[in-house]
Amino acid sequence: MRRINYWLASFVVGSLLVFSSCSDDDPMDPPMMEDDSFYATMLGGTTLVPDPDNPGQQIQQGFLNLRTVVTNTVLTIATNEGGVYDDLLPYFSVLLNEVARDDFSGFAQLVDDFTIFLAEATGGPFTYTGLDMEAAHDPQRNPRMDGLINNADYDLFIQAVVEGAAQAGITSSDVIGPVGELLESVREPIVQRADDEMLDLYTRLGGSGLIDDPENPGQLIEAGFVPLRAVVTETVLLIASNPEGKYTDLLPYFSVLLAEVGAGDTSGFATLVQDFSEFLAEAIGSVNIQYTGLDMVAAHDPEQNPRMTGLVNAADYDLFVAAIVEAAKGLEVPESVIGEFGGLLNSPGLRDAVIQR
């Protein structure tokens, strides 16, 4: 027993000696590191202040300042006073149409994600867990993104950030400069469209943002799909009505459809409009809408498509394109857009597939 107590006493005494020798000013202690990050020194750091958006809660001053700038930026683009940010609106089609339906969940998520990204990048105690910048700005990987950004539009976005900061009272070059450098550092993964390449047509027509379907109350439809469906519908009706007999040569190809409609059955008409609209949507850049019907060769071959009653020749195909142009003009589609559709319809791949006589 004495031996055990001896060793126990030795251990306790030794421990006391060790701990008593480690005073606060021990030169072996690592010095307290001062947070000299941009987040701490220029944005307000981790000091807690009341959160103006969430009564009763507190928020880090640095995060609040960044969130205010981000919120102002998005609102500046959305309100688009004087049309300054017209070129940025297509990218925000999903978000803007949500807000129009009083759904602010996407807005809140965007503000939170971008704020966390900036907070981490400036040295704040946050970890951004969203998509990397390349994926976040690629519609194929981010369904909330419409269109690929070019340098000019990214410059315009940075301009909106600067304006958003000014609205928050942040105008010092000591703050704006480094934030601008940060945004420049991620330009390469964000900008994914060449300066001489146009934004895809589907995005320019409205993109994938959901709106109320004018033909189906209570349902939502992608904004970019609506004008396509309208032109296709008007085209079929124009051929069927055959004003002044100008489309007489096309009527035989639609004999099955016209007979159905004459008997009060519009199901085939609805299917044709939907299929052709989906084909066009996918062809001009839609990510979510995919054409799943027959390929163009099979669709225009009576042997493979019982709804087709003859093989199309070049003259009749040109007449069909003319009907689309007339329908589009009647709906006041811009000439530039009509020209792009003409280029698609007369592309060798499509034209050669349809013309089989």
Side-chain angles (χ1 to χ4, degrees):
M1 177 67 73
R2 287 181 179 177
R3 189 170 185 178
I4 294 175
N5 288 339
Y6 171 79
W7 286 110
L8 178 61
S10 298
F11 174 76
V12 171
V13 171
S15 298
L16 289 173
L17 289 172
V18 170
F19 284 109
S20 64
S21 67
C22 296
S23 63
D24 290 341
D25 56 356
D26 192 318
M28 297 301 293
D29 280 348
M32 294 293 291
M33 298 297 293
E34 182 179 354
D35 185 356
D36 60 353
S37 68
F38 186 81
Y39 183 84
T41 60
M42 302 302 294
L43 296 175
T46 58
T47 301
L48 293 178
V49 296
D51 186 343
D53 291 347
N54 298 286
Q57 298 183 29
Q58 291 191 309
I59 186 174
Q60 292 184 13
Q61 182 67 66
F63 193 85
L64 174 59
N65 286 334
L66 288 173
R67 189 184 68 186
T68 302
V69 171
V70 171
T71 300
N72 289 350
T73 298
V74 178
L75 292 177
T76 294
I77 294 170
T79 54
N80 189 28
E81 292 185 9
V84 174
Y85 298 107
D86 280 345
D87 290 342
L88 294 184
L89 297 184
Y91 303 112
F92 292 88
S93 172
V94 174
L95 175 67
L96 295 177
N97 283 295
E98 285 176 345
V99 172
R101 301 194 305 274
D102 294 327
D103 177 1
F104 294 92
S105 59
F107 173 85
Q109 188 65 55
L110 173 61
V111 168
D112 195 51
D113 283 349
F114 190 27
T115 303
I116 291 174
F117 172 80
L118 292 175
E120 180 184 13
T122 55
F126 296 89
T127 301
Y128 172 72
T129 58
L131 294 172
D132 64 68
M133 289 299 100
E134 183 177 344
H137 295 86
D138 178 1
Q140 296 290 341
R141 289 178 281 178
N142 179 10
R144 298 189 62 80
M145 184 70 186
D146 267 314
L148 296 173
I149 297 177
N150 64 6
N151 277 301
D153 290 345
Y154 190 61
D155 289 341
L156 193 58
F157 175 74
I158 293 177
Q159 177 182 320
V161 173
V162 173
E163 184 173 343
Q167 292 169 5
I170 301 174
T171 57
S172 169
S173 59
D174 292 337
V175 177
I176 299 299
V179 171
E181 292 173 3
L182 169 60
L183 294 175
E184 282 296 335
S185 72
V186 293
R187 176 183 289 269
E188 184 175 350
I190 290 176
V191 173
Q192 301 177 40
R193 176 165 58 91
D195 294 340
D196 59 353
E197 181 183 342
M198 292 187 68
L199 189 63
D200 69 271
L201 182 53
Y202 191 77
T203 295
R204 283 182 280 132
L205 289 178
S208 61
L210 296 176
I211 62 174
D212 292 325
D213 188 339
E215 294 186 9
N216 299 287
Q219 297 184 31
L220 297 176
I221 187 173
E222 290 195 359
F225 192 77
V226 173
L228 291 177
R229 187 181 63 186
V231 170
V232 171
T233 300
E234 186 64 21
T235 298
V236 178
L237 292 176
L238 188 62
I239 294 171
S241 62
N242 191 24
E244 300 177 0
K246 65 174 71 175
Y247 298 115
T248 299
D249 289 345
L250 295 182
L251 296 182
Y253 302 111
F254 293 88
S255 61
V256 174
L257 175 66
L258 295 176
E260 289 174 343
V261 173
D265 179 4
T266 59
S267 60
F269 173 84
T271 298
L272 173 61
V273 168
Q274 184 70 16
D275 283 352
F276 190 30
S277 299
E278 289 178 353
F279 172 80
L280 292 175
E282 183 177 10
I284 64 172
S286 172
V287 173
N288 301 319
I289 296 174
Q290 295 183 337
Y291 172 70
T292 57
L294 295 171
D295 64 69
M296 289 298 102
V297 172
H300 295 86
D301 178 2
E303 295 292 331
Q304 302 180 69
N305 179 11
R307 298 187 63 81
M308 191 70 184
T309 56
L311 296 174
V312 178
N313 63 15
D316 290 344
Y317 186 71
D318 290 340
L319 190 59
F320 175 70
V321 173
I324 294 177
V325 171
E326 182 177 351
K329 287 183 176 180
L331 294 171
E332 299 183 347
V333 175
E335 289 287 343
S336 60
V337 173
I338 294 175
E340 289 184 63
F341 272 116
L344 168 64
L345 295 171
N346 284 308
S347 61
L350 179 56
R351 186 179 182 88
D352 292 346
V354 174
I355 297 173
Q356 301 179 37
R357 174 165 62 91

